[in-house]
Amino acid sequence: MTDWIVSVFSITDDKVIRQIAFLVNGVPFAVWETFYSTALAAIFAHLIGLPLGILLVTGDRDGIRPLPQPLMQVLNVVVNLLRSVPFLILMVMVMPLSRIILGTTIGTPGILVPLTVAAAPFVARLVESSLREMDRGLIEAAQAMGCTTLQIVWKVMLPESLPALLSGFTTAFITILGYGAMAGAIGGGGLGAMAMMNGWTQRQQVVLYVAVVVVVILVQIFQSIGTWATVCLDRRITNRGGARGSRKKQAQQD
């Protein structure tokens, strides 16, 4: 592969050739590290952030099951504080916890805990925003039918908010991907480490720019997939499309 690239682009600089060889051997594994660390952190962040976001909505003063306001104020303050700390600083602060849980603070495994801690409050706010956008009349109708709090959340709020939740998941996934790339500056793995440790630190410009381009490509791919899935699940859009198709078909028949 390296010889083919060198011959196609007529590269003669030995330094550039060595960088190309490094990229050919290292990019696939770096992409895999970036993907699986982002995916795992996104899953763990949603396992924490989704229930927390639901609690922020249902436990509010106007929610379906109000909780003591001092408790809700504490939850809001904690979420806001964690969201306010820049990721690199938060990662340094969470390193002891990462060492306790995973036994390491460097490499791809070492950034899973900081990524989860940084992303969970962000996910909670995205979930809260998505749930607050839904039609309040649906909740009132479910309450009038005698549905329990769990039934309202599971069968009304989450299904009706699914497109917005999926859009939020896409946003969170891409944000975590960016966090993971930044973690390369202080010992993380994946494309971020390749760009910072090999590209910037060792002044290998080809490695730096290729790593950045690959990150951009990954973001575009994930954003496109998330947007497509959101559109497919949004009944307002699909219903409009179906209505337009029906009207067009009826006009052709007439």
Side-chain angles (χ1 to χ4, degrees):
M1 185 66 177
T2 303
D3 295 337
W4 179 80
I5 295 175
V6 171
S7 62
V8 168
F9 293 97
S10 301
I11 301 173
T12 57
D13 191 331
D14 290 339
K15 183 178 179 180
V16 176
I17 293 175
R18 287 195 296 270
Q19 293 182 55
I20 292 174
F22 172 77
L23 288 169
V24 169
N25 295 324
V27 165
F29 183 69
V31 170
W32 165 246
E33 280 190 316
T34 300
F35 174 75
Y36 93 76
S37 62
T38 303
L40 286 178
I43 292 172
F44 293 143
H46 277 76
L47 288 177
I48 299 173
L50 181 61
L52 183 57
I54 294 173
L55 185 62
L56 290 172
V57 175
T58 59
D60 197 13
R61 182 181 289 106
D62 299 326
I64 59 177
R65 193 174 183 82
L67 295 175
Q69 289 308 301
L71 174 61
M72 297 303 299
Q73 291 175 357
V74 170
L75 287 178
N76 278 284
V77 168
V78 171
V79 170
N80 291 334
L81 284 176
L82 290 176
R83 288 191 61 196
S84 302
V85 181
F87 173 69
L88 290 179
I89 298 176
L90 182 62
M91 184 173 180
V92 174
M93 294 173 60
V94 178
M95 277 184 175
L97 180 62
S98 181
R99 184 179 291 108
I100 293 174
I101 296 176
L102 299 175
T104 182
T105 59
I106 60 174
T108 303
I111 66 173
L112 290 178
V113 174
L115 285 177
T116 303
V117 173
F122 178 62
V123 170
R125 287 304 185 194
L126 290 175
V127 172
E128 179 187 10
S129 177
S130 299
L131 295 179
R132 290 190 186 280
E133 290 178 358
M134 69 169 295
D135 186 1
R136 181 74 183 181
L138 296 175
I139 298 177
E140 294 175 352
Q143 289 176 320
M145 294 172 61
C147 295
T148 64
T149 301
L150 182 60
Q151 289 174 330
I152 294 175
V153 171
W154 188 253
K155 296 184 178 181
V156 179
M157 297 177 68
L158 292 180
E160 289 295 324
S161 303
L162 187 57
L165 291 172
L166 185 55
S167 179
F169 175 82
T170 304
T171 302
F173 191 92
I174 293 174
T175 301
I176 295 171
L177 178 62
Y179 285 163
M182 286 189 290
I186 49 177
L191 291 168
M194 176 178 288
M196 295 300 301
M197 300 302 178
N198 300 105
W200 175 257
T201 304
Q202 300 182 19
R203 299 186 181 279
Q204 297 182 0
Q205 299 299 320
V206 176
V207 174
L208 174 61
Y209 291 124
V210 169
V212 171
V213 169
V214 173
V215 170
V216 171
I217 292 173
L218 289 177
V219 169
Q220 294 300 320
I221 292 173
F222 296 140
Q223 182 64 64
S224 298
I225 294 174
T227 302
W228 172 80
T230 301
V231 171
C232 290
L233 290 175
D234 195 335
R235 291 180 295 181
R236 294 170 299 180
I237 297 177
T238 54
N239 288 341
R240 284 202 300 267
R244 286 195 297 267
S246 299
R247 288 196 297 268
K248 184 177 180 181
K249 185 176 180 180
Q250 182 65 33
Q252 291 175 347
Q253 291 176 350
D254 294 340

